[in-house]
Amino acid sequence: MLRVRPRRGLVLLGPAFIAAIAYVDPGNVATNVTAGAKYGYTLVWVVVLANIMAVLVQYLSAKLGIVTRRSLAGQLGTRLPTPARIAYWLQAEAIAVATDMAEVVGGAIALAILFDVPLVAGAVCTAAVSLLILRVGDRRGQFTLERVIIGFLALILVGFVAGLVVDPPSGSAFAGGLVPSFAGSESVLLASGIIGATVMPHVIYLHSSLTTSRLDHRGEGLEVSRLLAATKLDVVSALLVAGVLNLSLLLLAASSLNGLPGTDTLQGVHALISSEVGTGVALLFAVALLGSGLASTAVGSAAGAEVMRGLLHRQIPLLLRRVLTVIPAIAILAIGAEPSAALVISQVVLSMGIPFALVPLVVLTARRRVMGEHVNRPLTTIAATAVAVCVVSLNLALLYLTFFS
């Protein structure tokens, strides 16, 4: 079995952590807290399943970039005819807008909680700081950006896990929540939102682009097989952290907030955490929410730029792109829409875009003429196909419940 020397392996960690920050964005906070507050431990299994699926999906995305030296969007851009490329880009751009909505709105809510900043001004601040984070990556390189994002992830980890230390959940109830079940049609809607917030379509595109250079000088002298071994460690480590964070949010809501009024907004959740768990935990929660919004919106912007570059073979200035994609989020806040409800709805929209990224990823990584000797093993393709079927089935159920029930 090929191994990566421990020190070299640690240096190779990073791309998956950039992807992982999108798995703990404000949309995840809203959907997981809502699920725990409304249905207790019922949807624990959905969070666990979604994170297991995410490990496989993100590994395949990174693998595609390492082996072919081309991103998923770039692969599609060379294979699709022009009309199909444009149509594909339009749906991906709609997903990018939904992503931005969740992340910018989440950052705005956090600033309102912490500093009483008006929501519109908070959205502008969140978008501006995300640009600064991306500038760090442009000037200092991907390795530095990875370390900045890992720092944000550590901050979020402290903030979201603190509540469980103060008020631990029930072990038996947690175990019961691992048994698949639903509690009515609205719980199916939330389950779809959780998967949409966990298996994020934009980071499926992004992760493949982060590995196309084979990690630059860090990967020099390493065979593709060794890079793939390091990538497995990277993905499992990053998404284990993301999974713990997602579970922590649901478990905190299930153990401390279940059945209480006011959990339908993040401001209300913060107030309840303050009264039920403690002001210190509430402060850490708000700081973690802010870090989540700032870091994830930077990652979302990078993903949107990669999709445009790969599918349209065009690139617009980052500032212009940032302004265009943030306008819908600011507009929603300006008209007085409930921001937390917008967060949950955005995650459902995201889940609709997953098949458009996931199905081509499974097909391409299963083709020997694309992947050569590193083509997926039959079991891997079967597992990835099962993930795609599960996601598509949930989306169909969601459409039926939304329009016909």
Side-chain angles (χ1 to χ4, degrees):
M1 179 180 173
L2 291 168
R3 295 182 182 275
V4 180
R5 293 194 304 274
R7 271 175 122 185
R8 189 90 181 254
L10 289 175
V11 173
L12 293 173
L13 298 181
F17 285 86
I18 290 182
I21 202 73
Y23 288 78
V24 291
D25 76 353
N28 290 82
V29 179
T31 51
N32 288 313
V33 169
T34 300
K38 285 191 173 182
Y39 301 106
Y41 298 87
T42 301
L43 298 181
V44 163
W45 68 274
V46 177
V47 176
V48 173
L49 177 63
N51 278 275
I52 291 173
M53 293 194 300
V55 169
L56 176 59
V57 169
Q58 293 305 143
Y59 172 68
L60 292 182
S61 177
K63 178 182 176 181
L64 180 69
I66 287 173
V67 174
T68 68
R69 290 181 178 267
R70 184 175 289 171
S71 70
L72 175 59
Q75 292 282 356
L76 292 171
T78 60
R79 285 171 164 76
L80 296 175
T82 299
R85 279 194 299 112
I86 294 173
Y88 224 93
W89 170 74
L90 286 173
Q91 66 81 26
E93 208 55 60
I95 298 304
V97 170
T99 301
D100 232 23
M101 183 181 301
E103 293 159 352
V104 172
V105 168
I109 291 172
L111 286 171
I113 292 171
L114 288 168
F115 307 111
D116 203 25
V117 176
L119 287 173
V120 173
V124 173
C125 289
T126 301
V129 173
S130 72
L131 272 177
L132 294 178
I133 295 171
L134 288 176
R135 290 291 290 174
V136 170
D138 289 342
R139 291 182 174 235
R140 302 277 184 165
Q142 182 176 312
F143 180 79
T144 301
L145 178 62
E146 289 167 3
R147 270 51 202 169
V148 170
I149 295 298
I150 288 173
F152 272 106
L153 199 55
L155 171 70
I156 297 165
L157 180 65
V158 172
F160 288 160
V161 174
L164 294 185
V165 176
V166 176
D167 187 12
S170 164
S172 59
F174 171 74
L178 292 173
V179 179
S181 65
F182 290 107
S185 60
E186 191 178 347
S187 68
V188 178
L189 181 70
L190 268 176
S192 179
I194 289 171
I195 290 179
T198 306
V199 185
M200 302 282 273
H202 69 291
V203 289
I204 298 176
Y205 295 111
L206 179 64
H207 201 167
S208 61
S209 73
L210 294 172
T211 58
T212 53
S213 66
R214 296 184 178 169
L215 306 184
D216 300 319
H217 65 279
R218 289 180 285 167
E220 287 178 3
L222 289 180
E223 299 173 354
V224 170
S225 296
R226 291 185 179 271
L227 286 171
L228 291 176
T231 295
K232 287 179 183 176
L233 176 61
D234 188 28
V235 171
V236 170
S237 301
L239 293 184
L240 178 62
V241 173
V244 168
L245 286 168
N246 284 322
L247 267 179
S248 297
L249 290 165
L250 189 148
L251 294 176
L252 175 64
S255 62
S256 303
L257 311 179
N258 185 230
L260 296 177
T263 56
D264 53 339
T265 70
L266 287 176
Q267 295 95 324
V269 169
H270 173 264
L272 284 171
I273 291 175
S274 181
S275 63
E276 299 295 321
V277 186
T279 55
V281 173
L283 176 61
L284 289 174
F285 172 84
V287 170
L289 179 62
L290 178 59
S292 166
L294 294 175
S296 60
T297 193
V299 170
S301 294
E306 167 56 29
V307 168
M308 175 175 279
R309 182 166 52 244
L311 286 171
L312 293 189
H313 312 306
R314 297 260 194 291
Q315 192 167 355
I316 63 175
L318 188 58
L319 178 59
L320 176 59
R321 176 171 185 85
R322 176 77 285 200
V323 169
L324 291 176
T325 55
V326 81
I327 285 174
I330 292 176
I332 283 198
L333 294 175
I335 63 175
E338 170 48 51
S340 296
L343 283 178
V344 175
I345 291 170
S346 73
Q347 302 313 294
V348 176
V349 174
L350 283 178
S351 73
M352 298 296 179
I354 297 171
F356 294 98
L358 183 54
V359 172
L361 177 67
V362 175
V363 170
L364 288 171
T365 54
R367 286 182 177 172
R368 185 169 292 277
R369 68 174 179 270
V370 176
M371 303 296 289
E373 64 179 302
H374 302 290
V375 66
N376 289 344
R377 294 177 180 177
L379 269 178
T380 302
T381 299
I382 290 170
T385 301
V387 170
V389 169
C390 174
V391 170
V392 172
S393 299
L394 261 179
N395 287 338
L396 291 175
L398 174 63
L399 285 172
Y400 177 80
L401 291 170
T402 301
F403 296 107
F404 301 103
S405 65

